Amino acid sequence: MTDQVTRGAYIHIPFCDHICYYCDFNKVFMKNQPVDGYLDALAKEMAYYAAMGPVKTIYIGGGTPTALNEEQFERMLSDVSHYFGHDALQEFTVEANPENLSGGKLELMKRYGVNRLSVGVQSFDNELLRTIGRAHNAENARDTIQRAQAAGFENITLDLMFALPGQTEEMLHQSLETALSLNTPHISIYSLQIEPRTIFYNRMKGGKLRLPGEDIEADMYGQIIFTLEKHGLRQYEISNFSRSGYQGIHNSLYWHNEEYYGIGAGAHGYVNGKRYANAGPVKKYISLVGKHGFSEASAHAVTVQERIEEEMFLGLRLMRGVSQSRFLQKFGRHIKEVYGNQINRLKSEGLLEECGDYIKLSTKGIFLGNNVFEAFLLS
């Protein structure tokens, strides 16, 4: 069955015990929210999409999935397992925060087949953790990872951030060294992006946010690549590093431009050539699911041109790059028929390389990825 199954399922839990200063995901304070009503609606929407066919990956994100209490957490995992679980499932990931990942929740995840944890650490520097509004400290984070490993979770990814307010290269180095000492097989590390509707955005507009400059950010990124690869974590995507065999399967669906169900308030999905976004407000989401079985608030049929563009700027995030033969198979046109001028120009600028069947970012191109991606927008 898995040879034929290409879709994944992303399931969104919007509830948080606190709001981080940089976060622009769909989230709400958990207190006084209709959590049980939300879980009812979530199960109903799962049933709607499960009827369209099985999945090879499940990813439960947020918000903070582990903000649910143990009874709610088990109910959610039971429903997910009921609608999407099967023996050949390749990957079942749950996002977790150090401050609310209890032993009971670890046991529940083991019982319901979760085989990958994504732990939101962001930094092992306590001062930086306070600066960005996280609720845990470095000791909590280390303890959580070690408890998860003791509970039998081998496939753990640490989520880290860099270019944070007040962060120095030495502070980044210390966080990387601590992360590596925990010996997880995967690390994701993203530079801070200031998004509208966040506390940091308001501080930046008021001139109250001190960020590293672009040159320091580039130096930090170079340090990350060098340090992680030196310790056996190979960069397979712009922001992701892993030991062999531990590359994230679910996120690779996005980079390979494959389809996935988006389930939950504010979730985005891509099904049958259509990208859609669910209603964000929790009560509106519950109401729509109650009426229709799903909560689609907007949708867009992806044109062939858009699919071609996405194939390039998503696929080039991968260090392996974009397969020319796969492009021809998907679109019936050779990649150089569509993008010959752009590819030649970017190669001459040292930003792209051709390696057998693949067109990929050069070392220089990795640092200037957004400039490269923009070249593949046809309109």
Side-chain angles (χ1 to χ4, degrees), residues 82-112:
H82 173 73
Y83 289 111
F84 292 116
H86 56 80
D87 291 341
L89 191 70
Q90 292 183 30
E91 186 181 85
F92 186 172
T93 304
V94 174
E95 285 184 358
N97 276 1
E99 69 272 14
N100 49 35
L101 184 55
S102 65
K105 290 171 189 173
L106 286 168
E107 182 182 336
L108 287 169
M109 286 191 284
K110 268 291 177 187
R111 188 190 313 168
Y112 286 100

Side-chain angles (χ1 to χ4, degrees), residues 250-261:
H250 180 84
N251 284 349
S252 293
L253 292 176
Y254 306 148
W255 303 319
H256 284 118
N257 208 15
E258 301 289 354
E259 295 194 345
Y260 53 96
Y261 306 131

